[in-house]
Amino acid sequence: MVESSVVMILFGSFLLLLLLGAPISVSLGVAALASFLYLDENPIKFVQIAFTSVGSFPLMALPAFILAGALMEAAGISKRLVDLAESFAGPFTGGMSAATVMACMFFGAISGSGPATTAAVGMLMIPAMIDRGYGKGYASAVTASSGGLGVVIPPSIPMVIFGISAMGMMAPPEAIAQYGQFQSVSIPKLFIAGVLPGMVLAGGLLIMNYFLCRKHGYKGTTEGWSAGVTRTALRKGFWSVLAPVVILGGIYSGLFTPTESAIVAIFYTLVIGFFVHRELKIKDVMRSLETTTWLTGRVLLILFTATVFGRLLVENQIPAIVAASMLEMTTNLYLIWALIIFFLLFVGMFMETLAAIMILTPVLLPVAYNLGIDPVHFGIVVVCCLSIGFQTPPLGENLFIASGVSGTSIEEISVRALPFAITSVLAVFIIAYIPQITLFLPGLLGY
């Protein structure tokens, strides 16, 4: 009886505050505190749990990757990546928008953030596409949709958060008895596992882009492919292309951890920006630090409160109840995957990605264990599902960024982005139903 009352207070106050328009961190924090007071627990415990949640070494990667992404835009690295992607597109139907998808993949391999990828690539590609005769709405939609690749292509901030959430959760003994020992979750392993799923999502976007561009008559460049243009773009963009190679190569080879790689990324960008490209200025560094401080503070506030919220869920056996109810409904793995995917897509439309991961990992990971689903595979599917939330209203951050860059209404971009969202959902089902897409590379590299 006490458990059901706590759940009512926890979820009831959380949803009420959200409906009243309170920020998600306030909604989570007040709901958790109200439950603590109802249970007559010392509120100091609330603060202790919250403080412990941000005391982990892997979490240091969060502000570092945000800063690296902001500095790379100021250092001219993102511009050179876009030029390189455009040189590959050539006369291909919808070549400019295909270059946008590729540029988002390149930049996603540096920034780890969906909105940062959309902003960096969109500032350059949306005006360029409009100049080539693309509709404003379409140019904005393809950029907003491709920006979600920023959190699937490693390094990825949501993968860091999932890794931190999942590392403390052991598989239930009954799941181990039925399926054997599960592999452990680590952030480098998640990064490696995200490469092929990221390519599957990008491939889906490129195919849909081709058909839509053929329908609308958006052609590529008239001058055709030029080896000279591509060589020039490669020469100018050499140091930019080397950035993801250095960052990811260092992680996968074991030279440094993901947290250390983020610091390497910052140092690398500063050296390239100041001494090679000579485009980075002190005022740009200060602006990047300001952006990083604001974004990190916002994320850590959500992390504080979401950790306490998640702890209350676990203590009141909510994950076990959800797992049992799902397994009572059906034991068909594919049907349960479909339920989880649609639930995550729905949540992604209304809730910020990092908060959703923090809240839902303690609830859904035990379900995955009870079905024999690999935790790394599960984590990648969660991140892929929530990445689609960046391009779907009402919360879709990428839509707002693309709208700000192009001056197009959110409504028009949302309608234009719908085919890309449907394609991405189909790609997520493929990733979920074929675990080897996710697990092949970690296995190959001995993780």
Side-chain angles (χ1 to χ4, degrees):
M1 185 66 188
V2 175
E3 280 178 10
S4 59
S5 302
V6 172
V7 172
M8 284 296 291
I9 291 166
L10 192 64
F11 281 103
S13 51
F14 173 60
L15 294 171
L16 178 64
L17 285 162
L18 278 184
L19 289 171
L20 290 172
I24 193 160
S25 52
V26 173
S27 305
L28 287 167
V30 171
L33 189 58
S35 304
F36 265 96
L37 294 173
Y38 174 79
L39 291 166
D40 203 27
E41 292 201 28
N42 191 336
I44 290 293
K45 185 182 174 185
F46 177 102
V47 180
Q48 287 170 336
I49 295 170
F51 182 77
T52 307
S53 71
V54 292
S56 63
F57 178 69
L59 196 59
M60 286 172 63
L62 178 71
F65 275 128
I66 293 172
L67 179 57
L71 286 172
M72 281 176 181
E73 192 178 345
I77 287 177
S78 55
K79 183 181 184 303
R80 286 165 173 80
L81 288 174
V82 167
D83 290 343
L84 181 61
E86 194 180 343
S87 75
F88 284 133
F92 186 71
T93 298
M96 282 290 283
S97 43
T100 303
V101 177
M102 290 192 287
C104 286
M105 284 181 69
F106 286 150
F107 197 76
I110 300 169
S111 76
S113 163
T117 301
T118 306
V121 175
M123 293 290 282
L124 301 161
M125 290 304 285
I126 291 175
M129 280 189 277
I130 294 167
D131 287 345
R132 293 279 177 90
Y134 285 72
K136 274 188 180 183
Y138 185 82
S140 306
V142 74
T143 308
S145 302
S146 307
L149 295 171
V151 301
V152 182
I153 303 286
S156 159
I157 293 168
M159 283 183 200
V160 172
I161 300 299
F162 177 83
I164 292 165
S165 305
M167 275 185 230
M169 296 187 66
M170 297 295 106
E174 58 271 22
I176 294 172
Q178 187 172 352
Y179 299 105
Q181 200 67 40
F182 290 86
Q183 68 168 322
S184 61
V185 177
S186 74
I187 293 166
K189 198 184 294 182
L190 285 165
F191 280 5
I192 295 166
V195 174
L196 292 182
M199 289 182 178
V200 170
L201 282 169
L205 293 174
L206 286 169
I207 292 166
M208 178 54 72
N209 171 68
Y210 174 76
F211 286 113
L212 289 174
C213 285
R214 200 168 70 170
K215 178 186 170 186
H216 295 303
Y218 299 145
K219 304 291 183 192
T221 54
T222 50
E223 59 268 20
W225 269 295
S226 165
V229 171
T230 305
R231 263 200 310 273
T232 304
L234 267 171
R235 193 182 71 251
K236 287 183 176 176
F238 174 76
W239 296 105
S240 301
V241 174
L242 201 60
V245 174
V246 169
I247 295 164
L248 299 176
I251 296 169
Y252 300 160
S253 64
L255 279 175
F256 36 74
T257 66
T259 306
E260 290 162 351
S261 78
I263 308 302
V264 170
I266 292 168
F267 181 74
Y268 180 87
T269 307
L270 290 172
V271 171
I272 299 303
F274 279 125
F275 304 113
V276 180
H277 294 164
R278 298 183 181 178
E279 292 178 23
L280 195 61
K281 305 285 185 286
I282 294 297
K283 65 177 181 182
D284 296 324
V285 175
M286 298 312 291
R287 200 180 305 118
S288 299
L289 286 168
E290 193 179 313
T291 304
T292 304
T293 305
W294 185 82
L295 282 173
T296 305
R298 184 170 149 226
V299 169
L300 289 182
L301 273 174
I302 294 169
L303 193 64
F304 262 150
T305 49
T307 303
V308 184
F309 194 93
R311 180 72 67 87
L312 280 165
L313 289 177
V314 172
E315 285 178 358
N316 288 282
Q317 304 296 307
I318 306 305
I321 294 165
V322 170
S325 60
M326 271 194 173
L327 292 170
E328 277 171 22
M329 202 184 306
T330 176
T331 53
N332 185 301
L333 182 62
Y334 296 111
L335 279 177
I336 290 179
W337 258 131
L339 287 172
I340 290 170
I341 289 168
F342 284 123
F343 175 63
L344 287 167
L345 291 170
F346 176 75
V347 169
M349 289 169 66
F350 297 96
M351 193 179 289
E352 190 170 354
T353 304
L354 302 184
I357 290 170
M358 290 297 299
I359 295 168
L360 296 176
T361 300
V363 177
L364 295 177
L365 191 55
V367 177
Y369 279 129
N370 283 325
L371 291 163
I373 296 170
D374 183 275
V376 173
H377 177 215
F378 180 74
I380 296 301
V381 174
V382 168
V383 172
C384 289
C385 285
L386 295 174
S387 77
I388 298 170
F390 284 118
Q391 69 193 67
T392 51
L395 190 67
E397 291 174 70
N398 290 2
L399 298 176
F400 288 98
I401 291 167
S403 171
V405 172
S406 66
T408 313
S409 70
I410 297 286
E411 291 77 16
E412 185 184 345
I413 300 173
S414 301
V415 171
R416 299 277 191 175
L418 198 58
F420 293 110
I422 293 166
T423 306
S424 297
V425 171
L426 292 174
V428 168
F429 271 96
I430 292 168
I431 293 161
Y433 288 173
I434 309 173
Q436 276 310 108
I437 293 173
T438 304
L439 302 176
F440 172 71
L441 276 183
L444 187 70
L445 296 172
Y447 275 86

